[in-house]
Amino acid sequence: MSAPISHHRPAPLSELVEPDEFTRRHVGPSPDDVAHMLSTISMSSTDELLGATMPASIVAGEPLALPGGVSERDALRRLRTIAAKNRQ
C-alpha cells in the first residue's frame, strides 16, 4: 500500500531556520540541557554516562596530546592552503 498523497505545501526554508539558534546548536548543550538530560536518564554526571556506555577497551588512560587551538582566521588560512593543492 502506498503512502497517502499529501497536499500540504512544505514550509519555506526561511520559516524553518532560526538564525539566533545557530550558535547554540553548534556549540553544544547548555549546562541546564546537560543537567536535564542526565536527570532524565538517572545519571549523576557525564563521566557516569560515558562510563556506562563506552567499553573500557577503547577508553584512553590519559588525555590525548593534541596541539593547541587556532583562531578561526588561522584555521581558514590553513584550509585554503590545503584546498589550493586540489587538482581537477
Side-chain angles (χ1 to χ4, degrees):
M1 174 180 246
S2 62
I5 298 173
S6 172
H7 297 287
H8 178 266
R9 186 170 178 213
L13 185 59
S14 62
E15 289 180 17
L16 301 174
V17 174
E18 298 176 31
D20 295 337
E21 294 293 313
F22 179 85
T23 300
R24 187 189 67 75
R25 284 193 323 267
H26 291 86
V27 170
S30 71
D32 287 343
D33 291 337
V34 173
H36 178 72
M37 174 192 69
L38 291 171
S39 173
T40 300
I41 61 174
S42 301
M43 297 272 177
S44 61
S45 68
T46 53
D47 286 339
E48 181 183 2
L49 172 61
L50 292 175
T53 56
M54 291 183 63
S57 62
I58 66 167
V59 176
E62 54 192 60
L64 298 175
L66 299 174
V70 297
S71 68
E72 181 178 2
R73 177 178 284 174
D74 195 36
L76 290 172
R77 182 186 56 76
R78 291 178 186 187
L79 289 171
R80 283 187 189 102
T81 299
I82 293 168
K85 295 177 183 179
N86 288 337
R87 299 176 194 253
Q88 291 185 342

